[in-house]
Amino acid sequence: MSSNLSLDREDDLEWRIRPETAGERTDKFIVDQLAELGQAGLSRTQVQEWIREGAATVNGRSIKANYKLSEGDTVVLVIPEAQEADIKPENIPLDIVYEDSDLIVINKPRGMVVHPAPGHSSGTVVNALMYHCKDLSGINGLLRPGIVHRIDKDTTGLLMAAKNDLAHVSLAEQLKEHSVTRKYIALVHGKLPHDQGTVDAPIGRDAADRKLFTVTDRNSKTAVTHFVVLERIGEDYSLLELQLETGRTHQIRVHMKYIGHPLAGDPVYGRNKTVPLNGQALHAAVLGFTHPRTGKRLHFEAALPSDMEQILVNLRHR
Protein backbone atom coordinates (compact mmCIF):
# COMPACT_ATOMS: atom_id res chain seq x y z
CA MET A 1 0.00 0.00 0.00
CA SER A 2 1.18 3.47 -0.80
CA SER A 3 -0.06 5.09 2.37
CA ASN A 4 -1.78 4.63 5.68
CA LEU A 5 -5.44 5.57 5.41
CA SER A 6 -7.51 6.59 8.38
CA LEU A 7 -10.86 8.21 8.93
CA ASP A 8 -9.70 11.24 10.90
CA ARG A 9 -13.23 12.47 11.54
CA GLU A 10 -16.50 11.19 10.23
CA ASP A 11 -16.14 13.33 7.11
CA ASP A 12 -12.35 13.57 6.65
CA LEU A 13 -9.75 11.30 5.08
CA GLU A 14 -6.10 11.50 6.03
CA TRP A 15 -3.00 9.92 4.46
CA ARG A 16 0.68 10.05 5.39
CA ILE A 17 2.98 9.80 2.37
CA ARG A 18 5.32 6.85 2.14
CA PRO A 19 8.50 6.70 0.04
CA GLU A 20 6.86 4.88 -2.87
CA THR A 21 4.38 7.69 -3.52
CA ALA A 22 6.75 10.60 -2.87
CA GLY A 23 6.97 12.79 -5.98
CA GLU A 24 3.39 12.14 -7.11
CA ARG A 25 1.03 14.98 -7.94
CA THR A 26 -1.49 15.59 -5.19
CA ASP A 27 -4.52 15.22 -7.48
CA LYS A 28 -3.32 11.89 -8.87
CA PHE A 29 -2.52 10.61 -5.38
CA ILE A 30 -5.99 11.44 -4.06
CA VAL A 31 -7.71 9.86 -7.08
CA ASP A 32 -5.70 6.66 -6.62
CA GLN A 33 -6.43 6.49 -2.88
CA LEU A 34 -10.15 7.04 -3.36
CA ALA A 35 -10.11 4.31 -6.02
CA GLU A 36 -8.83 1.93 -3.35
CA LEU A 37 -11.90 2.88 -1.31
CA GLY A 38 -14.13 1.73 -4.14
CA GLN A 39 -14.45 5.06 -5.95
CA ALA A 40 -12.56 4.19 -9.13
CA GLY A 41 -14.90 6.27 -11.30
CA LEU A 42 -13.97 9.58 -9.68
CA SER A 43 -12.31 11.89 -12.21
CA ARG A 44 -9.14 13.84 -11.61
CA THR A 45 -11.08 16.94 -12.73
CA GLN A 46 -13.43 16.54 -9.75
CA VAL A 47 -10.50 16.20 -7.34
CA GLN A 48 -8.82 19.25 -8.86
CA GLU A 49 -12.00 21.23 -8.23
CA TRP A 50 -11.99 20.11 -4.59
CA ILE A 51 -8.36 21.19 -4.27
CA ARG A 52 -9.16 24.62 -5.75
CA GLU A 53 -11.97 24.97 -3.22
CA GLY A 54 -9.55 24.19 -0.37
CA ALA A 55 -11.05 20.81 0.50
CA ALA A 56 -7.62 19.14 0.28
CA THR A 57 -4.55 20.32 2.19
CA VAL A 58 -0.96 19.14 2.60
CA ASN A 59 0.54 19.64 6.05
CA GLY A 60 -2.35 21.94 6.87
CA ARG A 61 -1.76 24.27 3.91
CA SER A 62 -3.74 24.80 0.73
CA ILE A 63 -1.89 23.61 -2.36
CA LYS A 64 -2.31 23.37 -6.11
CA ALA A 65 -3.35 20.18 -7.82
CA ASN A 66 0.11 19.65 -9.31
CA TYR A 67 1.91 19.98 -5.96
CA LYS A 68 4.49 17.18 -5.72
CA LEU A 69 4.22 15.24 -2.49
CA SER A 70 7.19 14.44 -0.24
CA GLU A 71 7.76 11.54 2.11
CA GLY A 72 6.15 12.27 5.47
CA ASP A 73 3.64 14.80 4.12
CA THR A 74 0.15 14.59 5.56
CA VAL A 75 -2.67 14.90 3.05
CA VAL A 76 -6.14 15.66 4.38
CA LEU A 77 -9.30 15.66 2.29
CA VAL A 78 -12.36 17.21 3.89
CA ILE A 79 -15.14 15.20 2.33
CA PRO A 80 -17.73 17.42 0.62
CA GLU A 81 -21.30 16.95 1.71
CA ALA A 82 -22.94 14.29 -0.39
CA GLN A 83 -24.83 15.74 -3.31
CA GLU A 84 -27.95 14.05 -4.57
CA ALA A 85 -26.81 12.03 -7.53
CA ASP A 86 -28.32 13.06 -10.85
CA ILE A 87 -29.35 9.50 -11.53
CA LYS A 88 -32.95 8.49 -12.13
CA PRO A 89 -34.33 5.52 -10.19
CA GLU A 90 -35.67 2.88 -12.58
CA ASN A 91 -37.98 -0.02 -11.88
CA ILE A 92 -35.63 -2.71 -13.17
CA PRO A 93 -35.96 -6.25 -11.75
CA LEU A 94 -33.04 -7.37 -9.61
CA ASP A 95 -32.00 -10.91 -8.69
CA ILE A 96 -31.50 -10.27 -4.97
CA VAL A 97 -29.38 -12.88 -3.19
CA TYR A 98 -29.30 -11.14 0.23
CA GLU A 99 -30.54 -7.89 1.71
CA ASP A 100 -30.73 -6.20 5.11
CA SER A 101 -30.73 -2.62 6.41
CA ASP A 102 -26.97 -2.22 5.75
CA LEU A 103 -26.27 -3.88 2.42
CA ILE A 104 -27.58 -5.78 -0.55
CA VAL A 105 -26.06 -8.56 -2.69
CA ILE A 106 -27.36 -9.13 -6.21
CA ASN A 107 -26.70 -11.58 -9.01
CA LYS A 108 -25.98 -9.29 -11.99
CA PRO A 109 -27.08 -10.44 -15.45
CA ARG A 110 -24.93 -10.24 -18.56
CA GLY A 111 -25.12 -6.95 -20.44
CA MET A 112 -26.01 -4.79 -17.44
CA VAL A 113 -23.65 -1.90 -16.66
CA VAL A 114 -22.98 -1.35 -12.97
CA HIS A 115 -23.05 2.46 -12.85
CA PRO A 116 -24.11 5.25 -15.23
CA ALA A 117 -21.44 6.51 -17.62
CA PRO A 118 -21.38 8.22 -21.02
CA GLY A 119 -23.40 6.01 -23.34
CA HIS A 120 -25.02 4.19 -20.40
CA SER A 121 -27.10 6.77 -18.55
CA SER A 122 -29.93 4.38 -17.77
CA GLY A 123 -30.62 0.69 -17.28
CA THR A 124 -27.70 0.28 -14.88
CA VAL A 125 -27.39 -1.50 -11.55
CA VAL A 126 -27.31 1.88 -9.81
CA ASN A 127 -30.54 2.99 -11.50
CA ALA A 128 -32.18 -0.23 -10.33
CA LEU A 129 -30.76 -0.01 -6.80
CA MET A 130 -31.90 3.58 -6.35
CA TYR A 131 -35.46 2.53 -7.16
CA HIS A 132 -35.34 -0.60 -5.03
CA CYS A 133 -33.49 0.66 -1.95
CA LYS A 134 -34.30 4.37 -1.70
CA ASP A 135 -31.56 4.70 0.93
CA LEU A 136 -28.22 3.90 -0.70
CA SER A 137 -25.06 5.50 0.68
CA GLY A 138 -23.59 8.59 -0.93
CA ILE A 139 -20.28 8.53 0.88
CA ASN A 140 -17.61 11.07 -0.08
CA GLY A 141 -20.10 13.15 -2.07
CA LEU A 142 -19.46 10.90 -5.04
CA LEU A 143 -21.75 9.79 -7.85
CA ARG A 144 -21.81 6.03 -7.31
CA PRO A 145 -24.35 5.58 -4.52
CA GLY A 146 -23.83 2.30 -2.73
CA ILE A 147 -21.28 0.84 -5.13
CA VAL A 148 -18.04 -0.36 -3.52
CA HIS A 149 -16.81 -2.66 -6.29
CA ARG A 150 -17.92 -3.57 -9.76
CA ILE A 151 -17.90 -6.28 -12.38
CA ASP A 152 -17.75 -5.69 -16.11
CA LYS A 153 -20.88 -5.16 -18.20
CA ASP A 154 -20.74 -8.62 -19.79
CA THR A 155 -19.55 -10.46 -16.69
CA THR A 156 -22.32 -12.08 -14.65
CA GLY A 157 -22.58 -12.79 -10.96
CA LEU A 158 -22.40 -11.51 -7.42
CA LEU A 159 -22.09 -7.83 -6.59
CA MET A 160 -22.49 -6.12 -3.20
CA ALA A 161 -23.67 -2.58 -2.49
CA ALA A 162 -23.85 -0.54 0.71
CA LYS A 163 -26.99 1.13 2.04
CA ASN A 164 -25.25 3.50 4.46
CA ASP A 165 -21.87 5.07 5.03
CA LEU A 166 -20.90 2.71 7.86
CA ALA A 167 -21.34 -0.25 5.55
CA HIS A 168 -19.67 1.54 2.63
CA VAL A 169 -16.51 2.34 4.59
CA SER A 170 -16.30 -1.17 6.05
CA LEU A 171 -16.78 -3.00 2.76
CA ALA A 172 -14.33 -0.70 0.96
CA GLU A 173 -11.71 -1.29 3.67
CA GLN A 174 -12.21 -5.06 3.40
CA LEU A 175 -11.63 -4.84 -0.35
CA LYS A 176 -8.50 -2.78 0.21
CA GLU A 177 -7.19 -5.26 2.78
CA HIS A 178 -7.94 -8.20 0.41
CA SER A 179 -10.18 -9.86 3.02
CA VAL A 180 -13.15 -10.15 0.65
CA THR A 181 -13.45 -13.59 -0.98
CA ARG A 182 -14.12 -13.30 -4.70
CA LYS A 183 -14.12 -16.43 -6.85
CA TYR A 184 -14.96 -16.54 -10.54
CA ILE A 185 -15.70 -19.31 -13.02
CA ALA A 186 -14.25 -18.77 -16.49
CA LEU A 187 -14.06 -20.66 -19.75
CA VAL A 188 -10.70 -20.03 -21.39
CA HIS A 189 -9.04 -21.04 -24.62
CA GLY A 190 -6.49 -23.83 -24.58
CA LYS A 191 -5.52 -26.72 -22.35
CA LEU A 192 -3.69 -25.48 -19.26
CA PRO A 193 -0.73 -27.73 -18.41
CA HIS A 194 -0.95 -27.15 -14.65
CA ASP A 195 -3.84 -28.03 -12.34
CA GLN A 196 -3.40 -24.81 -10.40
CA GLY A 197 -1.25 -21.73 -10.36
CA THR A 198 -0.89 -18.03 -9.63
CA VAL A 199 -0.47 -15.12 -12.02
CA ASP A 200 1.45 -12.36 -10.26
CA ALA A 201 1.89 -9.64 -12.87
CA PRO A 202 1.34 -5.85 -12.47
CA ILE A 203 -1.43 -4.23 -14.49
CA GLY A 204 -1.60 -0.72 -15.90
CA ARG A 205 -3.14 1.12 -18.82
CA ASP A 206 -2.07 0.07 -22.28
CA ALA A 207 0.17 2.78 -23.74
CA ALA A 208 -1.19 2.03 -27.23
CA ASP A 209 -4.84 2.30 -26.17
CA ARG A 210 -5.68 4.07 -22.91
CA LYS A 211 -9.08 2.38 -22.75
CA LEU A 212 -7.42 -1.01 -22.32
CA PHE A 213 -5.24 -2.55 -19.63
CA THR A 214 -2.18 -4.73 -19.93
CA VAL A 215 0.62 -6.35 -17.93
CA THR A 216 3.30 -3.68 -17.65
CA ASP A 217 5.92 -2.31 -15.27
CA ARG A 218 5.06 1.31 -16.17
CA ASN A 219 2.54 3.14 -13.97
CA SER A 220 1.09 -0.18 -12.89
CA LYS A 221 -0.24 -1.77 -9.72
CA THR A 222 0.36 -5.20 -8.23
CA ALA A 223 -2.16 -7.74 -9.50
CA VAL A 224 -2.45 -11.33 -8.27
CA THR A 225 -4.87 -13.97 -9.57
CA HIS A 226 -4.98 -17.60 -8.35
CA PHE A 227 -6.51 -20.29 -10.55
CA VAL A 228 -7.55 -23.94 -10.32
CA VAL A 229 -8.45 -26.05 -13.37
CA LEU A 230 -11.93 -27.49 -12.85
CA GLU A 231 -12.17 -29.27 -16.19
CA ARG A 232 -10.28 -29.62 -19.45
CA ILE A 233 -12.70 -29.78 -22.36
CA GLY A 234 -10.91 -31.46 -25.23
CA GLU A 235 -7.76 -29.76 -26.45
CA ASP A 236 -9.33 -26.34 -27.01
CA TYR A 237 -10.88 -25.17 -23.74
CA SER A 238 -10.44 -25.24 -19.97
CA LEU A 239 -12.90 -24.37 -17.22
CA LEU A 240 -11.24 -22.50 -14.36
CA GLU A 241 -12.03 -21.27 -10.88
CA LEU A 242 -10.15 -18.03 -10.27
CA GLN A 243 -9.70 -16.20 -6.99
CA LEU A 244 -8.78 -12.54 -6.90
CA GLU A 245 -6.19 -11.44 -4.37
CA THR A 246 -6.26 -7.92 -5.80
CA GLY A 247 -9.03 -6.24 -7.77
CA ARG A 248 -7.65 -4.35 -10.73
CA THR A 249 -9.82 -3.33 -13.68
CA HIS A 250 -10.19 -6.24 -16.15
CA GLN A 251 -7.71 -8.22 -14.01
CA ILE A 252 -8.83 -11.76 -14.88
CA ARG A 253 -9.27 -10.92 -18.56
CA VAL A 254 -5.81 -9.32 -18.77
CA HIS A 255 -4.05 -12.05 -16.78
CA MET A 256 -5.58 -14.86 -18.80
CA LYS A 257 -4.55 -13.18 -22.04
CA TYR A 258 -1.06 -12.68 -20.58
CA ILE A 259 -0.55 -16.42 -19.95
CA GLY A 260 -1.88 -17.32 -23.38
CA HIS A 261 -5.34 -18.53 -22.35
CA PRO A 262 -7.76 -15.66 -23.04
CA LEU A 263 -11.39 -15.88 -21.99
CA ALA A 264 -13.76 -17.41 -24.51
CA GLY A 265 -16.02 -14.77 -26.00
CA ASP A 266 -13.96 -11.83 -24.73
CA PRO A 267 -14.50 -9.12 -27.36
CA VAL A 268 -11.54 -7.03 -26.20
CA TYR A 269 -8.80 -9.31 -24.87
CA GLY A 270 -9.83 -12.55 -26.55
CA ARG A 271 -9.72 -14.12 -29.99
CA ASN A 272 -12.27 -13.83 -32.76
CA LYS A 273 -15.74 -14.84 -31.64
CA THR A 274 -15.48 -18.56 -30.90
CA VAL A 275 -18.54 -19.22 -28.71
CA PRO A 276 -22.13 -17.99 -29.10
CA LEU A 277 -21.98 -15.59 -26.16
CA ASN A 278 -22.50 -11.83 -25.93
CA GLY A 279 -19.30 -11.12 -24.01
CA GLN A 280 -16.68 -13.02 -22.05
CA ALA A 281 -17.43 -16.35 -20.38
CA LEU A 282 -16.80 -15.06 -16.86
CA HIS A 283 -19.05 -15.42 -13.83
CA ALA A 284 -18.59 -14.04 -10.29
CA ALA A 285 -19.65 -17.22 -8.51
CA VAL A 286 -18.58 -16.70 -4.89
CA LEU A 287 -18.59 -13.62 -2.66
CA GLY A 288 -17.64 -13.60 1.01
CA PHE A 289 -17.10 -10.75 3.46
CA THR A 290 -17.59 -9.68 7.08
CA HIS A 291 -20.86 -7.96 7.85
CA PRO A 292 -20.09 -4.29 8.66
CA ARG A 293 -22.39 -4.18 11.71
CA THR A 294 -22.61 -7.69 13.14
CA GLY A 295 -19.09 -8.89 12.38
CA LYS A 296 -20.49 -12.16 11.07
CA ARG A 297 -18.80 -13.70 8.05
CA LEU A 298 -21.21 -13.96 5.11
CA HIS A 299 -20.80 -16.32 2.15
CA PHE A 300 -22.81 -16.34 -1.07
CA GLU A 301 -22.75 -18.47 -4.23
CA ALA A 302 -24.45 -18.00 -7.60
CA ALA A 303 -24.88 -20.75 -10.17
CA LEU A 304 -23.57 -20.31 -13.70
CA PRO A 305 -25.91 -18.40 -16.00
CA SER A 306 -27.85 -20.51 -18.48
CA ASP A 307 -25.91 -19.25 -21.52
CA MET A 308 -22.57 -20.39 -20.07
CA GLU A 309 -24.07 -23.70 -18.99
CA GLN A 310 -25.39 -24.34 -22.50
CA ILE A 311 -22.00 -23.56 -24.05
CA LEU A 312 -20.35 -26.07 -21.71
CA VAL A 313 -22.93 -28.72 -22.61
CA ASN A 314 -22.34 -28.14 -26.31
CA LEU A 315 -18.54 -28.25 -26.00
CA ARG A 316 -18.63 -31.47 -23.98
CA HIS A 317 -20.74 -33.25 -26.60
CA ARG A 318 -19.21 -32.03 -29.82
Side-chain angles (χ1 to χ4, degrees):
M1 293 300 168
S2 58
S3 65
N4 290 317
L5 178 135
S6 64
L7 292 173
D8 184 47
R9 297 199 307 272
E10 186 173 305
D11 56 351
D12 289 6
L13 289 170
E14 179 179 316
W15 300 272
R16 185 171 295 277
I17 302 304
R18 292 181 177 176
E20 55 265 37
T21 49
E24 280 193 4
R25 287 173 53 118
T26 303
D27 55 354
K28 179 182 183 301
F29 173 82
I30 292 175
V31 168
D32 288 346
Q33 295 306 308
L34 289 174
E36 292 191 4
L37 277 177
Q39 304 299 338
L42 183 68
S43 71
R44 192 183 293 193
T45 300
Q46 176 64 75
V47 169
Q48 290 169 347
E49 182 178 335
W50 288 350
I51 292 172
R52 281 194 298 272
E53 294 172 350
T57 60
V58 177
N59 302 327
R61 301 191 304 273
S62 296
I63 41 81
K64 293 184 177 181
N66 63 357
Y67 176 83
K68 298 292 182 65
L69 296 167
S70 299
E71 181 181 353
D73 280 349
T74 297
V75 179
V76 174
L77 175 64
V78 179
I79 304 303
E81 290 187 16
Q83 302 296 313
E84 185 173 347
D86 186 22
I87 303 170
K88 294 180 180 179
E90 297 179 31
N91 187 7
I92 302 169
L94 289 170
D95 181 0
I96 298 171
V97 178
Y98 174 85
E99 182 178 13
D100 62 23
S101 60
D102 292 304
L103 58 91
I104 184 170
V105 177
I106 68 166
N107 184 13
K108 189 188 82 67
R110 191 179 311 282
M112 192 175 195
V113 175
V114 171
H115 59 87
H120 298 283
S121 61
S122 64
T124 73
V125 170
V126 168
N127 294 109
L129 287 175
M130 289 186 70
Y131 181 91
H132 174 80
C133 298
K134 317 293 185 187
D135 56 354
L136 289 170
S137 71
I139 191 170
N140 300 354
L142 305 178
L143 300 180
R144 278 199 198 173
I147 301 298
V148 290
H149 72 127
R150 70 180 213 177
I151 54 180
D152 295 332
K153 169 177 172 284
D154 293 321
T155 297
T156 59
L158 297 170
L159 180 74
M160 61 183 173
K163 288 190 174 185
N164 53 57
D165 290 359
L166 177 147
H168 197 132
V169 170
S170 173
L171 295 175
E173 281 290 324
Q174 291 180 56
L175 283 164
K176 182 184 175 187
E177 294 167 356
H178 312 313
S179 61
V180 175
T181 301
R182 287 173 292 172
K183 293 183 180 180
Y184 291 73
I185 302 298
L187 180 67
V188 303
H189 287 284
K191 187 176 181 180
L192 273 78
H194 307 292
D195 290 339
Q196 60 185 25
T198 295
V199 184
D200 185 348
I203 291 176
R205 288 197 179 274
D206 191 329
D209 186 341
R210 299 291 293 172
K211 294 179 181 179
L212 305 184
F213 291 83
T214 189
V215 171
T216 177
D217 291 325
R218 295 190 58 189
N219 299 317
S220 58
K221 293 184 177 181
T222 300
V224 180
T225 305
H226 307 285
F227 69 85
V228 175
V229 177
L230 299 177
E231 180 182 0
R232 294 180 178 88
I233 307 174
E235 297 295 322
D236 298 327
Y237 294 95
S238 297
L239 188 67
L240 309 182
E241 178 186 83
L242 304 110
Q243 182 162 355
L244 291 179
E245 186 171 316
T246 56
R248 308 306 176 201
T249 302
H250 298 173
Q251 178 172 319
I252 290 175
R253 299 165 68 186
V254 171
H255 272 173
M256 291 301 100
K257 176 185 177 182
Y258 177 67
I259 65 171
H261 296 279
L263 269 63
D266 192 327
V268 176
Y269 301 100
R271 302 171 183 173
N272 292 333
K273 194 169 182 67
T274 53
V275 293
L277 195 65
N278 293 321
Q280 59 276 359
L282 182 63
H283 175 66
V286 175
L287 180 64
F289 54 90
T290 300
H291 193 283
R293 194 175 300 274
T294 68
K296 180 182 177 181
R297 189 72 183 177
L298 301 179
H299 178 89
F300 305 101
E301 297 185 12
L304 284 178
S306 58
D307 55 2
M308 273 188 70
E309 281 283 12
Q310 188 58 53
I311 285 171
L312 292 175
V313 169
N314 294 342
L315 290 175
R316 289 167 183 145
H317 292 88
R318 66 177 185 173

